[in-house]
Amino acid sequence: MRVSQFPLSTLRETPADAEVISHQLMLRAGLIRRTASGLYTWMPYGLRVLRKVEAIVREEMDNAGAIEVLMPAIQPAELWQESGRWEQYGPELLRVKDRHDREFCVGPTHEEIITDLMRKELNSYKQLPVNYYQIQTKFRDEIRPRFGVMRSREFIMKDAYSFHLTQESLQETYDKMYAAYCRIFERLGLSFRPVAADNGSIGGSGSHEFHVLASSGEDDIVFSDGSDYAANIEKAEALAPAGVRPAPSQEMHQVHTPNTKTIQALVDNFKLPVEKTIKTLIVEASAESGAKFVALLVRGDHELNEIKAEQQPEVAAPLRMATEEEVRSIMGAGPGSLGPVNCPIPVIADRTVAAMSDFGAGANIEDYHFFGVNWGRDLPLPRVADLRNVKAGDPSPDGKGTLSIVRGIEVGHVFQLGKKYSETMNATVLDENGKAQTMIMGCYGIGVTRVVAAAIEQNYDEAGILWPKAMAPFQVSIVPLNMRKSEAVAQAAEALHTQLQAAGIEVLLDDRDMRPGAMFADHELMGIPHRVVISDRGLQAGSLEYKARKGGEAEQVPSAEILSFLQAKLA
RNA sequence: CGGGGUAUAGCGCAGCCUGGUAGCGCGUCUGUUUUGGGUACAGAAUGUCGGGAGUUCGAAUCUCUCUACCCCGACCA
């Protein structure tokens, strides 16, 4: 391909509204252009990258026995009403009406369509299991689209849905999909991690997220150095500290603590170790608890896990922190002076808190704390639960090794749906006794467009993108110097271009009449992995210059050997 | 939707406070120059100053209003 015929439009300056590096580089390298909020056009070079990701996903899905279909992007409201999601989904579901005033939505996902399809197509258990997938455009009317293609409203997703007679059969396909996902991200050349995920109301262990590791990621991923345990921090269990609670060694006493509204101030002003401090958080109580508010206790240096908190029967979901006015009217003191001693509302203590002794906590009197507090002696131990986020260095919940935390970008999700849709939509097959059985379902998604952005977040340098080999829009770029003046350079460039193309190498010839520096900068920005420079100087010496995008010095390669040299690099 | 901010040439920005009819850098076009890291010089084109209304002799600038976009929160592939 020649640049003169495959237009490249790079930007020298970073557009002001691009926040994250992948968005900036995708705009600068001319891979995408914004059409409207959350809507992007994929430009020629970007589309090549996208197609490569799709091809790998398609191949691995096919290899794993999934069958490709293509469902409509526009979906009739009746199916969503049948599943109950027409009401549940909210404004993220883009609803439209046709000329007959019939209601439709632009599909954000396809459970309804596939379930409807399968209940019609499948009659017998003998037809199971099946696994259908598609690679298709989805639309979710996100409240706040951002980060370019990372969280856009329209995006391309590979979604697969499997149907089974038994849980064992589902597990088998689930495991196959899990393995296929691992192969996909390995082949894409990404550093990734499958992690156990929160699977909400469905229950069971049937949900894993696949995260591309990148410091700019929005999720915290927890993993163990002593086992293959990995989980989203939302889900990672914080174990109770080992050993028994130390015996009290101090008497409880009230201390005047002016200007001490934070844990840090308490530690600094009173030389109290942070491990001896307690944070008291007041949240709204659930209707069935009978109380209006609940106090949650975590150690001073620990962070409340909102999902774990919401799962407590006493706590209202979604979680809502009490306002400062509410706190004052219930507790008689403001935030910064709160604690479990003489607490007028129900209390739940984190496991770590339950194991503390001689600790300090607010006295529920403005500017006073109690120090030397001990459970059992000074106040009864409240209900204990896992309330906090794990921290790096915590023991792994499976008992093997300690935990580390890294940031990740969620690019895939495998999920055991069970009968959630098949039951409400009455998708059954006849079993061997001729009895109707509700099918069990699994679903498996990959955010194809997001994968492209995530790959950049993980692979870039000052000059631009560093594509993994499998994703680069071209493998080799030819940069001829002074092509318009030097007949020899022009001929050599054309000849090499023809030669590499004939050898099946994806090659891009930069035949623009530009200065070398500008061309180098463009190819580096675009992240083409291999570069061959053709110059009069080199040709006279019978050689071409080769340089890899990722590090390494430029080297001279005899012209006659360039093909085999590149083939070795590309292998 | 709540809170904060921005809107001036393709991109990045100045001008606005203190009204006088729009500018800089990059890019684009023409010519010359240069040719191993975004070359230099000369010339040129490009704006309903986000839309509408108002104040004024006169509005990018002041007032009102609408719209779009960005950032922080809930959502998610």
Side-chain angles (χ1 to χ4, degrees):
Chain A
M1 196 62 75
R2 291 176 173 79
V3 176
S4 61
Q5 281 148 44
F6 201 68
L8 173 62
S9 47
T10 54
L11 264 38
R12 200 159 170 182
E13 281 172 282
T14 303
D17 53 6
E19 174 87 345
V20 295
I21 196 77
S22 60
H23 189 197
Q24 295 174 356
L25 290 175
M26 287 181 85
L27 289 172
R28 284 228 290 137
L31 306 185
I32 55 168
R33 291 287 180 250
R34 196 186 74 104
T35 298
S37 175
L39 303 177
Y40 289 86
T41 296
W42 286 78
M43 302 296 278
Y45 289 84
L47 188 59
R48 282 183 72 100
V49 177
L50 191 62
R51 293 289 183 239
K52 297 209 161 186
V53 177
E54 285 180 4
I56 288 175
V57 169
R58 188 170 274 121
E59 256 182 62
E60 292 299 336
M61 291 303 289
D62 291 345
N63 285 343
I67 301 154
E68 185 168 9
V69 290
L70 184 58
M71 292 179 263
I74 305 294
Q75 308 181 7
E78 300 90 80
L79 292 178
W80 285 73
Q81 282 156 352
E82 196 180 344
S83 74
R85 288 208 289 184
W86 187 257
E87 286 74 33
Q88 285 166 23
Y89 217 91
E92 211 171 294
L93 185 66
L94 181 64
R95 295 153 213 253
V96 293
K97 281 184 181 170
D98 71 4
R99 61 167 70 198
H100 305 295
D101 233 26
R102 281 194 286 254
E103 291 194 290
F104 293 83
C105 63
V106 184
T109 176
H110 278 69
E111 281 84 4
E112 280 80 1
I113 304 292
I114 192 81
T115 306
D116 176 57
L117 185 68
M118 289 299 124
R119 68 182 169 183
K120 292 171 179 160
E121 296 294 320
L122 300 173
N123 309 301
S124 161
Y125 73 97
K126 292 177 190 164
Q127 294 168 289
L128 299 182
V130 289
N131 187 7
Y132 284 93
Y133 80 96
Q134 62 174 347
I135 296 178
Q136 200 228 25
T137 297
K138 300 280 189 273
F139 191 92
R140 294 183 189 174
D141 202 353
E142 296 277 349
I143 296 171
R144 189 150 82 88
R146 64 183 144 164
F147 306 153
V149 118
M150 188 96 90
R151 177 180 273 109
S152 50
R153 295 195 292 173
E154 188 177 295
F155 60 100
I156 295 174
M157 178 159 117
K158 186 287 297 173
D159 48 328
Y161 308 89
S162 67
F163 292 81
H164 311 268
L165 191 65
T166 63
Q167 173 63 31
E168 295 68 50
S169 168
L170 168 60
Q171 189 64 47
E172 206 173 294
T173 297
Y174 183 87
D175 292 343
K176 264 191 210 163
M177 284 294 102
Y178 184 100
Y181 274 35
C182 290
R183 277 194 300 277
I184 287 167
F185 295 117
E186 272 159 26
R187 281 184 62 185
L188 288 171
L190 299 174
S191 165
F192 72 100
R193 197 118 203 166
V195 306
D198 177 50
N199 52 356
S201 50
I202 310 289
S205 60
S207 172
H208 287 84
E209 293 169 352
F210 285 74
H211 285 260
V212 166
L213 305 183
S215 54
S216 58
E218 293 189 89
D219 291 302
D220 277 312
I221 306 306
V222 173
F223 60 93
S224 167
D225 62 3
S227 70
D228 58 3
Y229 176 85
N232 193 308
I233 199 162
E234 289 175 351
K235 162 144 185 160
E237 184 184 2
L239 297 178
V244 292
R245 183 167 65 224
S249 65
Q250 300 172 12
E251 287 307 307
M252 182 168 92
H253 54 291
Q254 189 172 319
V255 181
H256 185 49
T257 52
N259 305 319
T260 308
K261 298 295 182 203
T262 63
I263 295 289
Q264 191 57 48
L266 198 60
V267 168
D268 293 344
N269 300 352
F270 297 92
K271 304 279 174 275
L272 197 63
V274 75
E275 296 78 24
K276 292 285 180 192
T277 62
I278 284 186
K279 244 193 301 213
T280 305
L281 304 158
I282 311 299
V283 301
E284 190 178 0
S286 62
E288 60 269 26
S289 73
K292 283 204 123 132
F293 293 94
V294 182
L296 305 177
L297 307 180
V298 295
R299 201 172 75 182
D301 57 335
H302 286 163
E303 215 173 70
L304 183 73
N305 178 309
E306 299 194 2
I307 292 193
K308 291 175 182 176
E310 268 174 19
Q311 286 165 355
Q312 304 306 316
E314 298 91 328
V315 175
L319 188 81
R320 185 180 74 81
M321 301 287 289
T323 64
E324 187 163 347
E325 296 75 60
E326 286 171 336
V327 168
R328 283 186 192 282
S329 74
I330 326 150
M331 304 296 288
S337 303
L338 305 179
V341 182
N342 302 326
C343 179
I345 57 175
V347 178
I348 308 174
D350 179 64
R351 288 169 172 171
T352 307
V353 170
M356 289 164 66
S357 59
D358 296 330
F359 57 85
N364 300 326
I365 302 167
E366 202 67 27
D367 290 337
Y368 282 90
H369 279 75
F370 287 118
F371 288 178
V373 184
N374 283 279
W375 297 116
R377 185 192 67 186
D378 306 319
L379 74 170
L381 184 64
R383 196 167 84 72
V384 177
D386 175 21
L387 293 179
R388 69 176 175 96
N389 279 337
V390 296
K391 277 178 61 170
D394 279 350
S396 175
D398 64 1
K400 295 173 216 155
T402 56
L403 297 178
S404 304
I405 299 179
V406 294
R407 303 289 283 176
I409 300 165
E410 186 186 352
V411 289
H413 199 167
V414 293
F415 201 103
Q416 297 190 14
L417 279 172
K419 296 180 179 172
K420 179 170 168 156
Y421 295 93
S422 49
E423 210 147 58
T424 51
M425 295 182 68
N426 198 29
T428 61
V429 291
L430 296 180
D431 67 11
E432 45 197 336
N433 302 315
K435 265 189 67 185
Q437 294 288 346
T438 302
M439 291 187 281
I440 299 174
M441 293 172 60
C443 70
Y444 319 92
I446 291 180
V448 176
T449 38
R450 184 183 280 182
V451 164
V452 176
I456 296 173
E457 291 293 332
Q458 190 179 77
N459 300 282
Y460 68 92
D461 64 11
E462 325 73 54
I465 302 168
L466 295 166
W467 289 118
K469 165 167 108 180
M471 294 177 72
F474 291 91
Q475 295 303 323
V476 177
S477 56
I478 302 174
V479 181
L481 302 187
N482 214 5
M483 188 182 184
R484 296 292 149 90
K485 288 267 174 64
S486 166
E487 190 57 29
V489 167
Q491 275 179 14
E494 288 294 342
L496 181 61
H497 181 239
T498 306
Q499 184 189 19
L500 296 186
Q501 265 192 336
I505 295 173
E506 293 174 308
V507 58
L508 183 67
L509 169 60
D510 198 338
D511 55 350
R512 297 175 297 177
D513 185 18
M514 284 172 57
R515 292 183 53 87
M519 290 194 280
F520 293 156
D522 274 351
H523 292 139
E524 283 162 8
L525 177 60
M526 272 200 303
I528 314 279
H530 307 278
R531 183 182 80 193
V532 177
V533 177
I534 301 182
S535 67
D536 274 318
R537 206 167 72 191
L539 289 176
Q540 278 157 24
S543 67
L544 303 172
E545 180 197 278
Y546 166 83
K547 186 173 181 311
R549 174 66 177 85
K550 287 187 200 178
E553 291 300 305
E555 51 186 305
Q556 299 300 318
V557 180
S559 301
E561 292 168 21
I562 190 72
L563 179 60
S564 55
F565 179 88
L566 286 173
Q567 282 170 329
K569 290 282 180 192
L570 292 170

